[in-house]
Amino acid sequence: DAGVIQSPRHEVTEMGQEVTLRCKPISGHNSLFWYRQTMMRGLELLIYFNNNVPIDDSGMPEDRFSAKMPNASFSTLKIQPSEPRDSAVYFCASSLLRLPLHFGNGTRLTVT
Amino acid sequence: DQQVKQNSPSLSVQEGRISILNCDYTNSMFDYFLWYKKYPAEGPTFLISISSIKDKNEDGRFTVFLNKSAKHLSLHIVPSQPGDSAVYFCAASGGNYGQNFVFGPGTRLSVLP
């Protein structure tokens, strides 16, 4: 079991650029979550998918953020255009039904 | 409005002693609770869970207690070891949140040798 795989591990970009974060969930898991961790707000849910369908995107900060899950083994979180306040660690997690979430190691995003 | 609170940002404990991490929640619909441990530069890893039908769950050195009337849970680590030094997150789900988990802000535990 390779666990949840996120890429890239680190991303440094300039304000205004498009950023795409990628996630491969654990095979067989039917739910996928994107979280953002900041010092001020801790771990906050951005969006989650159930069987590839977005269920709750109320945590997505604004229209600059979008997420897709084209199939059961891949998801992306895109920020366009990026801003310095988007700097954070972004985690992807997957789970089966209501079992505990399994997290990836995160992507540290820095927007200058 | 924080629905899951961990009021102690940090805690220091001597090796071998008991560590007690606390968590409070406000949503009475929450019925499933988890604790996660997080090391720097890694994602949170699942530690232990408890459902609202129980008031205690034990796994080795880790025990979680749930007091539903007080909307309070705690994680006990006995004995504490230096390798337990990490950030601990409490998480809750249930009600309108479905499969989603709401996380607390975390408590940084330092176990001193």
Side-chain angles (χ1 to χ4, degrees):
Chain A
D1 181 1
V4 175
I5 299 173
Q6 291 186 246
S7 64
R9 286 300 309 272
H10 302 274
E11 176 79 44
V12 181
T13 191
E14 291 183 350
M15 183 174 65
Q17 296 298 306
E18 177 181 295
V19 174
T20 300
L21 311 182
R22 296 173 175 80
C23 176
K24 177 178 168 52
I26 292 174
S27 176
H29 282 189
N30 68 331
S31 294
L32 183 140
F33 303 75
W34 284 100
Y35 283 87
R36 177 170 68 175
Q37 184 184 22
T38 61
M39 290 295 293
M40 294 297 294
R41 300 173 67 92
L43 265 172
E44 54 177 340
L45 178 72
L46 300 177
I47 185 172
Y48 85 93
F49 296 83
N50 197 30
N51 295 320
N52 311 340
V53 176
I55 301 300
D56 181 359
D57 65 355
S58 59
M60 296 286 261
E62 45 199 275
D63 292 345
R64 298 184 297 107
F65 285 68
S66 63
K68 293 182 179 179
M69 191 165 187
N71 57 62
S73 59
F74 184 67
S75 176
T76 59
L77 177 68
K78 186 177 293 187
I79 308 172
Q80 165 64 17
S82 57
E83 297 182 2
R85 60 191 167 123
D86 301 331
S87 298
V89 181
Y90 291 80
F91 288 103
C92 175
S94 70
S95 73
L96 177 62
L97 302 174
R98 284 192 80 195
L99 294 175
L101 305 180
H102 292 255
F103 283 83
N105 282 330
T107 295
R108 179 174 294 277
L109 173 64
T110 303
V111 183
T112 61
Chain B
D1 177 30
Q2 256 188 350
Q3 297 202 55
V4 178
K5 303 175 185 179
Q6 294 176 257
N7 291 322
S8 298
S10 62
L11 175 68
S12 291
V13 171
Q14 284 295 129
E15 181 178 5
R17 298 289 189 100
I18 183 172
S19 295
I20 300 176
L21 297 104
N22 293 304
C23 177
D24 296 288
Y25 61 96
T26 57
N27 190 332
S28 58
M29 298 297 290
F30 287 148
D31 62 0
Y32 185 44
F33 305 89
L34 301 91
W35 284 94
Y36 280 81
K37 179 168 73 173
K38 184 184 181 304
Y39 293 120
E42 294 182 10
T45 55
F46 169 69
L47 203 52
I48 192 169
S49 66
I50 189 166
S51 85
S52 60
I53 62 173
K54 301 175 78 171
D55 54 19
K56 177 183 174 181
N57 189 26
E58 196 171 348
D59 184 1
R61 296 187 296 115
F62 302 92
T63 303
V64 56
F65 296 90
L66 175 62
N67 182 333
K68 289 185 289 294
S69 61
K71 295 190 179 69
H72 176 84
L73 62 156
S74 61
L75 174 68
H76 292 211
I77 307 173
V78 183
S80 302
Q81 299 173 354
D84 297 328
S85 297
V87 177
Y88 289 78
F89 291 98
C90 168
S93 79
N96 291 337
Y97 286 90
Q99 239 176 301
N100 176 22
F101 287 90
V102 180
F103 282 80
T107 296
R108 181 177 299 278
L109 173 66
S110 299
V111 180
L112 309 173

